[in-house]
Amino acid sequence: MFIVKKLLEGTALRTGVVAAAALAGGLLTSAPASAATATSERSVTSVTLTAESAAAARPRNGRILHDRISGGPGKLKIKNGLSRDGVVTLVRGKTKAVSIYVRAKSSATIGDVSDGTYRVYFTTGYRFSVSKGRFTRAAVYQRFDERLRYRTSGGQYRIYTLTLNPVKGGNARTRSIDPKDFPA
């Protein structure tokens, strides 16, 4: 079982909206081969990705991959105790609201969650492709059975805490889903 924890906090000290910062990806280029050569030989340039360059492409922990719900007072804290990275996605109605990248053995928080009811999906795996929006190795797709309900009332707002790994005494159930049912 997993844990879903719900907290209420006052907003007295809250001023402003925290904006999600996008991580600029690196660009790997190589110089073009010279068109003019003394002989008829052609120059061939090959590029080999090393473990260092592949690691550089991995999103940072807490990177917001998709955001359409900024401006609310709610928060979602995610703890990933797995040895695989994860992506957590909140869906309101049929609309993908927000996705966040949570590295293995790390925690991250989605702030500014607007009022509403959200279904929580997550995927874990290795070698996340930002352009494809999915893990390219050993991907697992799941959904929490319980929906998260955010409501602001009298200066109070909700903070939920989710764990992506099973926890003894946890109070949330998940189910595996087909990869094509994962919000794109």
Side-chain angles (χ1 to χ4, degrees):
M1 294 190 80
F2 300 77
I3 290 180
V4 175
K5 190 165 47 174
K6 181 175 22 177
L7 300 173
L8 292 176
E9 278 195 12
T11 59
L13 297 178
R14 183 176 181 78
T15 58
V17 176
V18 177
L23 177 65
L27 179 62
L28 178 63
T29 60
S30 63
S34 174
T37 58
T39 64
S40 63
E41 293 179 22
R42 290 187 178 203
S43 174
V44 177
T45 304
S46 66
V47 177
T48 304
L49 288 176
T50 63
E52 288 179 338
S53 62
R58 182 178 173 214
R60 69 172 168 73
N61 187 59
R63 177 178 175 189
I64 300 294
L65 302 172
H66 178 88
D67 185 6
R68 294 214 171 183
I69 63 166
S70 292
K75 293 183 182 184
L76 175 61
K77 295 180 180 181
I78 302 129
K79 297 178 181 178
N80 182 1
L82 300 171
S83 60
R84 301 179 307 273
D85 289 356
V87 173
V88 175
T89 300
L90 297 181
V91 174
R92 183 168 53 189
K94 293 184 179 185
T95 304
K96 181 173 159 180
V98 67
S99 291
I100 188 170
Y101 194 87
V102 186
R103 286 189 173 189
K105 306 290 184 192
S106 298
S107 296
T109 300
I110 299 172
D112 304 326
V113 179
S114 297
D115 286 356
T117 301
Y118 298 89
R119 178 155 308 276
V120 182
Y121 294 84
F122 68 100
T123 179
T124 58
Y126 302 99
R127 295 189 183 161
F128 186 77
S129 168
V130 174
S131 64
K132 294 178 183 178
R134 63 183 176 90
F135 290 101
T136 60
R137 229 178 98 219
V140 175
Y141 298 87
Q142 293 183 289
R143 180 187 84 196
F144 279 92
D145 290 342
E146 185 179 337
R147 295 173 193 252
L148 302 182
R149 289 171 181 81
Y150 285 91
R151 302 280 182 261
T152 304
S153 176
Q156 299 287 308
Y157 61 95
R158 297 248 165 111
I159 299 175
Y160 286 97
T161 300
L162 300 176
T163 59
L164 301 186
N165 52 291
V167 176
K168 186 175 181 175
N171 62 351
R173 297 200 183 278
T174 62
R175 66 182 63 219
S176 294
I177 62 168
D178 191 299
K180 69 181 178 198
D181 294 331
F182 194 81

